[in-house]
């Protein structure tokens, strides 16, 4: 059975996250690993970015709070899961543990055990109750090699009927679409819309778009998908316009080493970007 890894570094909103993770894992027949991470180096780098003093008082206070929560995390998480299972019938095999391993190394270790690992994270900055926040999730999205499923805050249940795959004509889109279609076949009546945005749709662009559609149809074994070509100033605006007119349950993006994804996310705080759509985002990675 393939694995979902729910990575936590705060108990904030954990009930909703756990509910989603169990619902998601149950729907797609995947086992669930829940790991609470105390990664002091990562936390310090994020918190003290730009600071000149090596022992910032705010960081010392944050470290004490985080250490206390870490020590209590496993007990509290087990209690939350027990409460969830009292009210929800599920057959999901699960594990709960804590770790002080660097979170990227932790994901790499789990990826060695299951090559089809999917990382589940929340879309807000962890420890957001502390001034400035501590953890900036674009780092982990950039650094891990497995698909990352970003869960919006206060989303306790999974609904994946209408999925938008946003493409910028990356050759690895085909591999990602194959994985996505295989994954979604376990859900009922799921529809995939393949979306591309171009500022100006001229004749050459129409030919490129037509060729891309034909390749996808030939290579990807999925019955229920369509294509839409948007024409807006930027990719994000195209996605926004489409999402405002259609019900979209999941947005899928390719993390390119260089390309629109970097521009899309680096120009804004990831919290604002990922919460902008108020729905899950699945991120694949260019190899």
């Amino acid at each position: 059975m393939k694995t979902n890894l729910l990575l936590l570094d705060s108990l904030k909103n954990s009930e909703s996250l756990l509910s989603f993770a169990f619902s998601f894992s149950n729907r797609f027949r995947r086992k669930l690993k829940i790991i609470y991470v105390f990664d002091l180096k990562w936390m310090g780098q994020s918190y003290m970015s730009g600071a000149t003093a090596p022992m910032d008082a705010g960081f010392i206070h944050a470290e004490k709070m985080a250490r206390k929560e870490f020590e209590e995390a496993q007990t509290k998480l087990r209690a939350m899961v027990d409460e969830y299972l009292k009210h929800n019938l599920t057959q999901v095999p699960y594990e709960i543990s804590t770790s002080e391993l660097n979170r990227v190394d932790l994901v790499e270790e789990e990826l060695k055990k299951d090559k089809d690992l999917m990382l589940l994270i929340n879309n807000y900055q962890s420890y957001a109750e502390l001034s400035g926040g501590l953890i900036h999730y674009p780092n982990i999205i950039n650094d891990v090699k497995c698909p990352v499923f970003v869960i919006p805050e206060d989303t306790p249940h999974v609904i994946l009927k209408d999925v938008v795959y946003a493409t910028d004509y990356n050759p690895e889109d085909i591999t990602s679409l194959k994985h996505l279609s295989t994954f979604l076949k376990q859900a009922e009546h799921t529809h995939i819309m393949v979306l591309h945005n171009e500022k100006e749709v001229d004749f050459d662009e129409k030919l490129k778009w037509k060729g891309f559609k034909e390749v996808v149809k030939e290579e990807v074994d999925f019955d229920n998908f369509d294509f839409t070509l948007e024409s807006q100033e930027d990719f994000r605006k195209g996605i926004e316009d489409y999402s405002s007119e259609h019900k979209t349950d999941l947005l899928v993006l390719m993390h390119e080493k260089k390309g629109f994804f970097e521009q899309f996310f680096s120009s804004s705080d990831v919290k604002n970007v990922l919460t902008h759509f108020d729905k899950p985002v699945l991120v694949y990675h260019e190899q």
Side-chain angles (χ1 to χ4, degrees), residues 167-183:
T167 177
D168 198 33
Y169 298 146
N170 189 301
E172 294 186 30
D173 282 334
I174 303 301
T175 301
S176 296
L177 279 166
K178 286 181 177 180
H179 181 277
L180 178 66
S181 62
T182 301
F183 174 69

Side-chain angles (χ1 to χ4, degrees), residues 146-161:
C146 62
V148 181
F149 198 100
V150 185
I151 307 166
E153 192 168 4
D154 298 322
T155 307
H157 305 293
V158 57
I159 300 174
L160 298 181
K161 296 293 186 184

Side-chain angles (χ1 to χ4, degrees), residues 123-125 236 240 264-265 267-278:
N123 65 348
Y124 62 77
Q125 292 173 307
R236 176 172 150 178
E240 288 174 357
F264 182 68
F265 281 94
S267 61
S268 303
D269 174 26
V270 71
K271 177 182 178 182
N272 293 331
V273 174
L274 292 179
T275 57
H276 183 84
F277 299 103
D278 194 28

Side-chain angles (χ1 to χ4, degrees), residues 25 42 98 131 196 209 222 230 247:
S25 301
W42 183 287
T98 58
S131 177
H196 176 71
W209 177 238
F222 194 78
E230 300 290 320
K247 180 182 177 182

Side-chain angles (χ1 to χ4, degrees), residues 102-272:
N102 173 281
R103 66 194 61 217
V104 175
D105 292 341
L106 188 154
V107 174
E108 295 245 348
E109 288 299 314
E110 294 297 327
L111 192 55
K112 291 176 183 176
K113 301 173 188 176
D114 183 354
K115 298 300 182 184
D116 200 18
L117 182 77
M118 185 172 289
L119 175 62
L120 311 183
I121 62 172
N122 192 266
N123 65 348
Y124 62 77
Q125 292 173 307
S126 293
Y127 302 104
E129 66 273 15
L130 299 176
S131 177
L134 292 178
I135 307 302
H136 297 275
Y137 274 136
N139 293 333
I140 197 165
I141 291 176
N142 291 341
D143 293 338
V144 298
K145 298 176 182 178
C146 62
V148 181
F149 198 100
V150 185
I151 307 166
E153 192 168 4
D154 298 322
T155 307
H157 305 293
V158 57
I159 300 174
L160 298 181
K161 296 293 186 184
D162 292 282
V163 177
V164 172
Y165 184 97
T167 177
D168 198 33
Y169 298 146
N170 189 301
E172 294 186 30
D173 282 334
I174 303 301
T175 301
S176 296
L177 279 166
K178 286 181 177 180
H179 181 277
L180 178 66
S181 62
T182 301
F183 174 69
L184 291 175
K185 281 179 181 178
Q186 299 178 72
E188 294 182 358
H189 310 299
T190 301
H191 175 262
I192 301 176
M193 177 63 74
V194 181
L195 180 150
H196 176 71
N197 183 83
E198 196 68 34
K199 291 181 180 179
E200 297 181 5
V201 182
D202 56 17
F203 183 74
D204 288 343
E205 181 60 34
K206 289 180 180 178
L207 287 179
K208 187 187 296 184
W209 177 238
K210 183 177 181 180
F212 179 79
K213 289 195 294 184
E214 292 303 315
V215 172
V216 172
K217 289 176 183 178
E218 290 175 3
E219 296 288 335
V220 181
D221 180 21
F222 194 78
D223 295 330
N224 193 16
F225 66 84
D226 291 299
F227 301 83
T228 184
L229 181 61
E230 300 290 320
S231 181
Q232 296 295 340
E233 282 300 310
D234 55 51
F235 208 102
R236 176 172 150 178
K237 184 66 166 57
I239 295 172
E240 288 174 357
D241 286 356
Y242 181 87
S243 297
S244 66
E245 296 175 9
H246 304 81
K247 180 182 177 182
T248 302
D249 298 316
L250 174 68
L251 174 63
V252 186
L253 299 170
M254 170 70 71
H255 182 288
E256 299 181 353
K257 295 177 181 177
K258 291 184 179 179
F260 85 88
F261 188 94
E262 282 189 355
Q263 297 171 359
F264 182 68
F265 281 94
S266 63
S267 61
S268 303
D269 174 26
V270 71
K271 177 182 178 182
N272 293 331

Side-chain angles (χ1 to χ4, degrees), residues 15-24 26-27 79-94 156-158:
E15 292 89 347
S16 177
L17 276 172
L18 290 168
S19 178
F20 186 97
F22 271 98
S23 173
F24 183 75
N26 188 56
R27 175 71 61 85
M80 292 178 194
V81 170
D82 288 344
E83 184 64 24
Y84 173 83
L85 294 177
K86 285 180 184 178
H87 305 284
N88 297 273
L89 295 176
T90 176
Q91 300 298 318
V92 176
Y94 71 92
H157 305 293
V158 57

